[in-house]
Amino acid sequence: MAETLSALSDLNQAAVAEAPRHVQKLDKQGRAYATGKRKNAVARVWIKPGAGKISINGRDVENYFARPVLRMILQQPLAIAKRVGQYDLIVTVAGGGLSGQAGAVRHGLAKALTHYEPELRSPLKKEGFLTRDSRVVERKKYGKRKARRSFQFSKR
């Protein structure tokens, strides 16, 4: 140990002094990167300042996410941060269905925004966008038709 503490108040002062400080994390091209996950979908998200162009697996967002609800889910972190149309997004997403992929992109986008602008962490965390939704499909058990559904019972 580097230093011995003699009283409980010394321990409290030592803990208050070092609060975690989040710093900007950018790559060589000036982009922020983050990985988002939901169900079985994994999204890799890069953001950089731009006109608001969103590219998902090389396709436009309107072509990839045809339902307006999925596009709305994707835009939620930008709306909370008041940054709609200020960042270009490059996303690669794989696994799961469209709903899980939209949730994964939202999670990755929120994390990438905090890497680009660390002061956005508290509003995004308050809305729950930085928390990974850990719910996954329950596995099928033997002797059951599905995970919990039993076969129909008949007495005769």
Side-chain angles (χ1 to χ4, degrees):
M1 289 200 134
E3 162 182 330
T4 350
L5 302 173
S6 59
L8 189 59
S9 60
D10 296 340
L11 179 65
N12 192 18
Q13 290 172 356
V16 172
E18 281 297 316
R21 193 172 159 276
H22 299 285
V23 295
Q24 189 180 39
K25 298 177 192 169
L26 301 178
D27 62 4
K28 292 174 184 165
Q29 287 89 22
R31 303 175 302 184
Y33 167 78
T35 304
K37 295 182 180 182
R38 171 114 185 3
K39 293 187 177 180
N40 282 335
V42 179
R44 300 184 302 162
V45 181
W46 289 268
I47 65 168
K48 62 181 179 181
K53 184 175 177 288
I54 302 173
S55 169
I56 300 172
N57 289 350
R59 292 161 55 186
D60 195 38
V61 68
E62 282 81 20
N63 293 336
Y64 197 84
F65 291 125
R67 298 200 326 247
V69 173
L70 299 177
R71 290 196 299 269
M72 184 262 307
I73 288 172
L74 190 125
Q75 294 283 343
Q76 283 176 334
L78 293 171
I80 293 294
K82 297 179 180 67
R83 303 289 191 274
V84 176
Q86 294 183 15
Y87 289 108
D88 288 341
L89 306 174
I90 299 107
V91 179
T92 58
V93 63
L98 286 178
S99 176
Q101 288 184 351
V105 172
R106 179 178 79 173
H107 182 227
L109 174 58
K111 284 171 62 175
L113 278 171
T114 60
H115 290 317
Y116 203 89
E117 295 183 55
E119 64 273 5
L120 292 178
R121 182 172 170 81
S122 91
L124 291 172
K125 189 168 177 67
K126 194 176 89 175
E127 292 295 322
F129 295 148
L130 296 177
T131 306
R132 193 246 200 254
D133 190 356
S134 61
R135 296 176 296 171
V136 291
V137 177
E138 190 176 347
R139 77 171 190 87
K140 183 194 176 300
K141 280 75 168 188
Y142 62 91
K144 300 275 188 179
R145 237 172 71 181
K146 292 167 57 176
R148 297 185 179 200
R149 169 89 166 91
S150 296
F151 294 106
Q152 183 171 345
F153 176 75
S154 175
K155 211 172 198 181
R156 297 173 202 249

